[in-house]
Amino acid sequence: MKITGNTILVTGGTSGIGLGLALRLREAGNTVVVAGRRRELLERIADEHPGVGTVELDVTDPESIARARRQLVAAYPNLNVVVTAAGIMVTENLRDPHSLRVAEDTVATNLLGTIRTVYAFVPHLLTQDDAAILTVSSGLAFVPLPITPTYNATKAAVHSFSEGLRVQLAGTGIQVIELVPPAVRTTLMNQQDLESAMPLEEFLAETMALLRAQPDAREILVENVKFLRNAATDGTYDNVLALLSSH
Ligand SMILES: NC(=O)c1ccc[n+]([C@@H]2O[C@H](COP(=O)([O-])OP(=O)(O)OC[C@H]3O[C@@H](n4cnc5c(N)ncnc54)[C@H](OP(=O)(O)O)[C@@H]3O)[C@@H](O)[C@H]2O)c1
């Protein structure tokens, strides 16, 4: 993708990676709009970062997606990039029936939410120059963290969906880029102070540098995620799974 001069929607833009990426992309000379459910955060972002657009969006609600799309296309007719960063990550105990609710919410947000968002914006993106869809999977798409089984499964599915999407959109001008973050210090699963997770600013800086250096990239892989992304082909899968199983 080109790194400047875009109009970019970031779902999951009220905090963490989504917000950080939105602000970095704005610094790089793009118009950005952040989306999320938490109204107080959207208001604070609008106050603290004049010029950053905000839109209320719940990706588990098809009506909310349709409403946000109508608002966005009207207010930002040049919208040409969509980043699907909305996501949740919650531990599950597969022996406890109550965990099924977590599993269902995780699929509704991470997988169906991504799929619905993509379906909603593809028709508009087809009319734009230099269009791109940036999906957000995870290193855990490639080796699972056993305490979050449905989370990992949704991210493996987002990876697969991104692959199919890229092939279907080939030749349309819409580029499909998959961001594959490693553990990053955000509040996603309270890992904001976790030593072993990558500091958010470092992750954002490396991601922006890769987006700049590799405009045709299919996947954005910071160094810290490669041990997960490449485990299956490196012959290290069993060892990495054993490591993740100790959490
Ligand atoms: N941090 C990591 O270690 C890591 C690693 C790999 C992948 N990722 C992925 O990166 C993405 C961003 O996560 P993060 O780490 O930045 O966590 P975060 O700070 O908790 O951000 C999650 C974002 O998703 C939004 N969201 C959650 N449910 C939503 C819904 N139903 N509708 C719309 N928005 C929703 C939240 O906004 P509202 O609550 O305002 O709706 C928030 O903006 C996620 O997809 C996550 O799976 C993170």
Side-chain angles (χ1 to χ4, degrees):
M1 68 179 275
K2 64 173 187 173
I3 202 69
T4 192
N6 301 293
T7 302
I8 304 176
L9 166 67
V10 183
T11 78
T14 52
S15 63
I17 291 174
L19 177 60
L21 208 53
L23 297 178
R24 294 266 178 162
L25 286 164
R26 180 151 190 269
E27 264 169 38
N30 299 285
T31 299
V32 299
V33 184
V34 297
R37 294 165 303 176
R38 284 173 288 178
R39 228 179 261 173
E40 69 281 8
L41 289 186
L42 292 170
E43 282 166 12
R44 193 192 308 162
I45 292 164
D47 280 352
E48 289 178 1
H49 306 282
V52 171
T54 60
V55 66
E56 213 175 310
L57 171 68
D58 181 346
V59 298
T60 66
D61 175 1
E63 261 312 304
S64 172
I65 296 178
R67 194 165 47 242
R69 182 200 40 210
R70 280 194 301 275
Q71 289 171 2
L72 284 161
V73 168
Y76 301 92
N78 299 328
L79 179 76
N80 68 322
V81 176
V82 174
V83 183
T84 59
I88 57 171
M89 181 177 191
V90 181
T91 57
E92 288 165 64
N93 175 355
L94 291 166
R95 299 179 194 201
D96 175 1
H98 292 104
S99 278
L100 178 60
R101 184 60 198 268
V102 169
E104 290 173 349
D105 288 349
T106 305
V107 172
T109 307
N110 298 4
L111 180 55
L112 255 183
T114 297
I115 292 171
R116 284 179 170 141
T117 304
V118 167
Y119 266 94
F121 285 95
V122 161
H124 175 76
L125 295 179
L126 284 170
T127 69
Q128 300 299 306
D129 291 332
D130 302 312
I133 297 171
L134 277 65
T135 57
V136 180
S137 66
S138 166
L140 300 177
F142 302 94
V143 187
L145 178 67
I147 57 170
T148 56
T150 304
Y151 176 83
N152 313 319
T154 62
K155 293 301 183 175
V158 166
H159 167 67
S160 179
F161 180 75
S162 306
E163 294 274 300
L165 181 67
R166 186 179 301 112
V167 172
Q168 284 210 18
L169 295 181
T172 66
I174 306 179
Q175 199 183 341
V176 177
I177 303 171
E178 179 185 342
L179 304 184
V180 189
V184 176
R185 289 182 209 167
T186 69
T187 53
L188 182 68
M189 212 171 71
N190 290 321
Q191 75 270 33
Q192 59 274 15
D193 299 316
L194 191 70
E195 276 296 310
S196 60
M198 192 171 181
L200 178 60
E201 291 307 316
E202 276 177 32
F203 170 75
L204 294 170
E206 197 174 338
T207 296
M208 289 299 292
L210 289 170
L211 285 170
R212 265 198 192 88
Q214 304 173 6
D216 298 321
R218 292 179 178 190
E219 295 176 10
I220 296 297
L221 301 169
V222 300
E223 282 305 316
N224 282 14
V225 85
K226 290 183 177 169
F227 80 105
L228 293 166
R229 176 65 184 94
N230 301 328
T233 47
D234 284 352
T236 54
Y237 184 93
D238 288 345
N239 287 342
V240 178
L241 179 58
L243 183 75
L244 297 185
S245 301
S246 63
H247 286 263

